[in-house]
Amino acid sequence: MALISVSDFAPSPMEQVERWIDEAKVAQVGEWDSMMVATADQAGVPSARMVLLRGVSKDGFRFYSNYTSRKAIELAVNPMAAIVIYWREQQRQIRATGSVVKLSSEQSVDYWSRRPRESQLSAWASHQSTPVVDRETLEAEVEKVRERFGDRDDIPLPEFWGGYLIIPNEVEFWVHRDDRLHDRLVYRKNSSFVWEIVRLQP
């Protein structure tokens, strides 16, 4: 595998993220949109989980969640997160850290309207991260929601559900090498708030 070069990378990290995502899609990487998001509570106790990456832009990484979930509660008191995107087929990884803000209601509605109906029903029924007696109880809640909305196509966005934007302050691109002398390039802002690329030791 050829070494990655600073001169080949985009001026901004999110532009480079988009390049790698496009290459992952062309290579038909399975679950290219899987992203690990790590948060921490007020005491600094971390937690991590896989979510779906639901968009990238010059501003950052987008994902959606229940606002009563553990990650949402942690983000409310400590609005910082770390992410990892790993593509085994390409032996590539993207890591980033940054601040987190909620997306606008308009952005959340736009995404919600494009979700499959069953996913919408599940979101309405789930009190995410809270205990449930058994699976049957959970499925019964879904049926109640199904009856509530009937055949209507325009299931509304719940007030407790929406999107987040992770605004990166650092983004690292990693490529595996069999000799373990892995390639690592990281974008960091200098004192003038301009992105610079630094090569890291493996």
Side-chain angles (χ1 to χ4, degrees):
M1 183 176 292
L3 292 172
I4 57 176
S5 171
V6 172
S7 62
D8 293 334
F9 268 41
S12 69
M14 295 311 299
E15 183 180 346
Q16 186 61 37
V17 169
E18 290 184 288
R19 288 183 185 180
W20 271 24
I21 287 176
D22 287 342
E23 291 171 16
K25 290 178 179 178
V26 170
Q28 297 183 324
V29 170
E31 298 184 349
W32 62 265
D33 54 354
S34 292
M35 176 173 74
M36 188 278 294
V37 174
T39 54
D41 64 17
Q42 204 161 18
V45 178
S47 63
R49 76 289 292 161
M50 300 303 296
V51 304
L52 292 175
L53 172 64
R54 280 300 177 238
V56 297
S57 66
K58 62 181 180 62
D59 299 315
F61 305 84
R62 297 194 299 276
F63 71 95
Y64 294 81
S65 180
N66 187 308
Y67 289 149
T68 66
S69 65
R70 177 174 178 176
K71 59 184 169 296
I73 292 170
E74 291 178 347
L75 287 172
V77 297
N78 184 9
M80 299 290 294
I83 69 163
V84 178
I85 301 169
Y86 176 62
W87 298 315
R88 183 181 182 88
E89 296 93 330
Q90 293 183 305
Q91 298 185 312
R92 286 179 171 182
Q93 174 180 273
I94 298 173
R95 296 174 59 241
T97 58
S99 58
V100 184
V101 297
K102 283 184 178 180
L103 294 174
S104 69
S105 58
E106 290 79 12
Q107 289 171 303
S108 293
V109 168
D110 177 67
Y111 172 70
W112 172 266
S113 66
R114 291 181 280 111
R115 296 190 87 205
R117 179 182 175 82
E118 291 302 312
S119 297
Q120 293 177 336
L121 296 175
S122 294
W124 267 102
S126 174
H127 302 284
Q128 192 171 342
S129 301
T130 62
V132 63
V133 175
D134 50 35
R135 180 74 190 186
E136 289 73 18
T137 300
L138 184 59
E139 292 178 352
E141 287 298 319
V142 174
E143 290 308 311
K144 288 180 184 178
V145 172
R146 194 186 308 277
E147 292 176 7
R148 172 183 174 184
F149 292 113
D151 296 329
R152 62 182 291 186
D153 295 325
D154 58 336
I155 296 177
L157 173 73
E159 293 182 359
F160 54 81
W161 198 95
Y164 288 95
L165 175 69
I166 301 172
I167 305 169
N169 53 37
E170 180 174 297
V171 184
E172 179 189 314
F173 297 82
W174 174 97
V175 176
H176 168 84
R177 300 192 70 78
D178 288 340
D179 60 5
R180 296 299 188 257
L181 206 63
H182 308 306
D183 260 346
R184 295 175 67 191
L185 296 182
V186 61
Y187 287 79
R188 293 171 176 159
K189 284 188 176 179
N190 61 24
S191 57
S192 300
F193 300 99
V194 175
W195 288 109
E196 291 183 339
I197 304 177
V198 177
R199 183 177 290 275
L200 300 180
Q201 296 195 44

